[in-house]
Amino acid sequence: MSFKKETPLANAVFWAARKGNLALLQLLLNSGRVDADCRDSYGTTALMVASYGGHYECVKELIMQGADINYQRETGSTALFFASQQGHCDVVKLLFEFGASTELQTKDGGTALTVASQYGHSMVVDILLKNGANVHERLNDGATPLFLAAQGGHVTVIRQLLASGAKVNQAREDGTAPLWMAAQMDRTEVVKVLLLRGADRDADRVVCVGNDNEGILVLGATNIPWTLDSAIRRRFEKRIYIPLPEDHARSFMFKLHLGSTPSELVEEDFVTLGRKTEGYSGADISIIVRDALMQPVRRVQSATHFKKVRGSTFNNPGVVIDDLLTPCSPGDPDAIEMTWMDVPGDKLLEPVVSMADMLRSLSNTKPTVNEQDLYKLKKFTKDFGQEG
């Protein structure tokens, strides 16, 4: 956060607000020689500075001295915006106690809710929603709080927003939907949650690119290099053969693609998967894992019975409750007949990925490279290329 001080006393007030020096701040304000709303040439106030730093007592003192809570600096930001951006829950609550507005926007359309969602401050998001923040508000480019949370991979915030009525398929002005963005950013957990809440997996997205080619390094990849003519071969000076991954590499790829997604898999399982995928490429393994990650989603969507289980709430992992619902067999003694559409969003406990899910996806996914392809690749490498 940048600001420019204008006078020696204002300079001292800003310094005290930034450092959280309550004694100095009180001394300056009580002197009667400097106003609580003193601001720099950008319109930044001491209240904004203290809110950004999370200095609760300084914020309270400035408010009691008459600082304008809803004053907007040149960019449109307010004290509430800065406190929400930095995740200072106590300051956000204090500002609301004295009349802070959730409706004020920055020049790019940003609000306290959009910035808290962007940075994944779930507790701040909860406070903002309870104080009337509009879950449907959008930046000038059309991005919603849900879109920003999906882009950042903030699963808890996404669930909060969806539970408050956010539209799961609301796209930006350029047509980019939250699901598409989450997939591009490799936010696996976000993708699962959005799909469970009805995201359209077939939504189109058009990408526009510029024409500036300066400083570009051109890399090419092909699985059929023997079809390239000599002119193409001359223009690609390095022709490197990358062989299929070995056992240990394949095991690591399974672990890499699974990422931080909750699962029941242990190290032994990854070793087993590596052994079972002889002849599979990295892309093949990626397909297997992506399909396996969807298995719990399919179980939820196809389930006809659910049962109550004990588990942590999504918006407060430290709290354990006994009435979460998870798919189960119709023969389970605790089974309740219902579909996933009947389950409240905050009560669904999604199944984690299991080894059985991986093996099921493996059985349905065949390698895309055969022995004949490998022979041709090795022959091309011998004639025109080099080992990678």
Side-chain angles (χ1 to χ4, degrees), residues 14 35 48 116 134 162 209 227 232 247 250 274 282 288 310 372:
F14 276 100
D35 191 86
M48 295 177 191
N134 181 9
L162 290 170
V209 297
T227 64
I232 291 292
D247 288 17
R250 295 194 298 272
I288 293 169
R310 182 179 176 84
Q372 187 177 5

Side-chain angles (χ1 to χ4, degrees), residues 26 47 79 101 158 206 223 294 312 330-331 335:
Q26 288 174 327
L47 180 61
S101 172
I158 288 169
V206 179
N223 290 327
M294 291 304 300
S312 300

Side-chain angles (χ1 to χ4, degrees), residues 261-302:
T261 303
S263 76
E264 298 175 353
L265 276 72
V266 296
E267 188 64 33
E268 213 173 279
D269 295 326
F270 290 112
V271 173
T272 300
L273 289 168
R275 286 201 303 265
K276 286 179 173 289
T277 47
E278 179 73 32
Y280 283 73
S281 67
D284 296 333
I285 292 171
S286 174
I287 292 170
I288 293 169
V289 176
R290 284 205 304 271
D291 186 73
L293 293 177
M294 291 304 300
Q295 299 287 357
V297 177
R298 296 186 187 109
R299 285 205 297 277
V300 170
Q301 293 177 332
S302 62

